[in-house]
Amino acid sequence: MRQRTLIGVVTIAALIALWFLATTVLELVSPGRFPSPPDTIAALWHVMLGGYGGGTLIEHVYFSLRLVALGFIVAIVTGVPLGLLMGWSRRAEALINPIFLIIRPIPPLAWIPLAILWLGLGDGAKILVIWFAAFVPSVINSYAGVRNIDRPTLEAAAMLGMPRFRFVTEVLLPGASPMIFTGLRLSLQASWTTLVAAELVGAFYGLGRVLNVAQQDLYPGMILVGMIAVAILGWGTTRLLGLVETRALAWNQAALAAKG
Amino acid sequence: MGRISFDDVGRVFGPSNKGVVALQDINLGVEDREFVAIVGPSGCGKTTCLRLVAGFDFPSSGTVSVDGKTVRSPGPERAVVFQQFALFPWKTVYDNIEIGLRNQGVAREQRRERIGAILDLMGLQSYAESFPHQLSGGMQQRVAIARAYVLDPDVLLMDEPFGALDAQTRVVMQEELVRLARKNPRTVLFITHAVEEAVYLADRVAIMTRAPGRIKEIMDVASVRKAENWDSYERIEEVMDLESFVHMRTHIWRSLREEKAAQPAE
């Protein structure tokens, strides 16, 4: 495990060295196409201290992070229960599945124009688009999670006289939770993708806005700063979700270890 | 109380005109606190019999009733021990055993008392806070038996409960079950394909035919057990050496072998 971490660090360090070599030292890539490390650091200072595209880096990060969190939470709070319901009730599945079949082929980003038309350039439109994108993986994986619970477990619950609410909270939810977490991870990724896209199209703040303005200003250093910021936030939030998962599914880790 | 009664029970899977007949003309009564084992070739429908009493499945014809009431749904008065244990892997041993009592609205103090007693009885005291996957198969099945017994059920339904265990563990569990059944008698319907197990544990053994499953013969073991005083032996192998046991076992084996031979050549 420690060796893996070490190799990872070495790989990243090598990539940065290569980048430095190709741009600043050997000048193989022109700075107008791809920024050098000093350009990037200069852009970073610029946006952090002076501000760029309507705010400082902290403000942009705050806006993007807040919208991702809101959109993600709205998506999972609606998506997971719906998925559980569809997994449990054939009738609900029959009712809802056709709607899904129609909506699913539409790429979430294709909703952006309509969302802006309805709700303008503010938070509402972005949350709506994130919801469209993040909702689907939550529903589908929660649904599959319920379907994956084996029959004896469900029969044991019935035999034990489980009341309906307790059945949902103490059997369906934990039983489906390994799959639910898979869905949450996909939802989180989808949230970031759609947020940046939505901010690219129209926003007053946010990392997508930084990218958009930097592109118009022909400012590659700033573009890279925006991209790195999105990458770090995406990684960080996924990591956070991973920590929650490890705690919530401690029993499952033990179960997997026992099987493996 | 806990009288199980199968009256002219049939079960057809699939469309009624060309479905697969799993059970036919099953008539069987299990008296209160009687231990009845059903043996039969695999696929004969013996597990289906148990599922009908549990309320997991329903007959296509005839009725299955417990204490005169037709079975319409699963319930804790008919506790099931599954072959694959079917414990909740996200709950500790204690919580697994407790959940049925919580569902019945038993107060916390009483729950603690009853669970403590059953943990002692099953030798699980030091595993209360373990998760099922941290335990061996035999230990997990003890938990499952505890979970069923703690409900104080009228009827205990055991579906090849030791089928997934290794031979040594199996013997230990059989001895323990006898001990438990003598100390705290229940109506038990026990499904197995292991003939020795059936003869060792049961008061009566019902032998089923191959599909469509019918009851071919019912052997009275209890009277032999009493006459030959099997219960005075502590170990299963001592009982298994007795002439009366061997005689009974051989009879059932022969009966089952006829079923195998009767298979149509394909």
Side-chain angles (χ1 to χ4, degrees), chain A residues 16-224:
Chain A
I16 291 174
L18 210 63
W19 173 33
F20 192 71
L21 212 67
T23 51
T24 311
V25 181
L26 300 173
E27 296 184 6
L28 293 174
V29 188
S30 95
R33 300 226 176 259
F34 200 82
S36 64
D39 289 351
T40 312
I41 289 166
L44 179 64
W45 287 134
H46 180 183
V47 67
M48 268 175 69
L49 304 175
Y52 182 79
T56 61
L57 184 61
I58 297 295
E59 287 170 321
H60 290 302
V61 165
Y62 167 74
F63 271 91
S64 292
L65 205 56
R66 191 177 65 101
L67 283 179
V68 162
L70 282 173
F72 175 69
I73 287 167
V74 171
I76 66 174
V77 163
T78 51
V80 173
L82 188 72
L84 293 178
L85 181 70
M86 283 172 67
W88 180 238
S89 152
R90 301 258 166 197
R91 204 180 300 168
E93 189 209 349
L95 205 71
I96 299 164
N97 221 13
I99 305 175
F100 255 84
L101 289 178
I102 295 170
I103 291 182
R104 260 184 83 183
I106 305 173
L109 302 185
W111 290 97
I112 293 176
L114 204 56
I116 292 178
L117 198 66
W118 287 344
L119 298 167
L121 296 179
D123 294 352
K126 290 174 192 70
I127 292 174
L128 184 67
V129 177
I130 293 174
W131 182 71
F132 273 127
F135 179 68
V136 175
S138 281
V139 174
I140 291 175
N141 284 283
S142 306
Y143 165 80
V146 172
R147 283 295 158 88
N148 271 352
I149 302 176
D150 60 354
R151 194 173 71 172
T153 303
L154 297 174
E155 288 177 346
M159 174 271 282
L160 291 165
M162 209 76 86
R164 186 161 300 179
F165 183 74
R166 185 172 291 161
F167 175 73
V168 172
T169 55
E170 297 192 27
V171 179
L172 278 195
L173 200 59
S177 58
M179 289 288 287
I180 291 176
F181 271 101
T182 303
L184 296 191
R185 263 201 309 278
L186 294 172
S187 288
L188 186 60
Q189 282 163 16
S191 299
W192 277 110
T193 310
T194 36
L195 174 78
V196 172
E199 285 178 343
L200 274 173
V201 175
F204 303 115
Y205 292 103
L207 293 166
R209 159 88 177 167
V210 172
L211 288 169
N212 188 19
V213 175
Q215 182 221 330
Q216 284 164 19
D217 290 351
L218 304 177
Y219 191 170
M222 190 60 78
I223 293 178
L224 201 62

Side-chain angles (χ1 to χ4, degrees), chain B residues 52 89 95 103 118 129 132 150 158 166 181 189 194 227 230 257:
Chain B
L52 295 175
D95 292 344
N103 294 341
I118 199 87
E129 295 311 315
V150 80
M158 307 184 97
D166 63 79
L189 187 63
W230 290 2
R257 195 182 286 273

Side-chain angles (χ1 to χ4, degrees), chain B residues 228 230 238-249:
Chain B
E228 302 281 326
W230 290 2
E238 292 170 330
V239 178
M240 281 184 178
D241 266 351
L242 297 173
E243 202 180 322
S244 52
F245 186 97
V246 173
H247 179 78
M248 205 134 240
R249 186 194 63 190

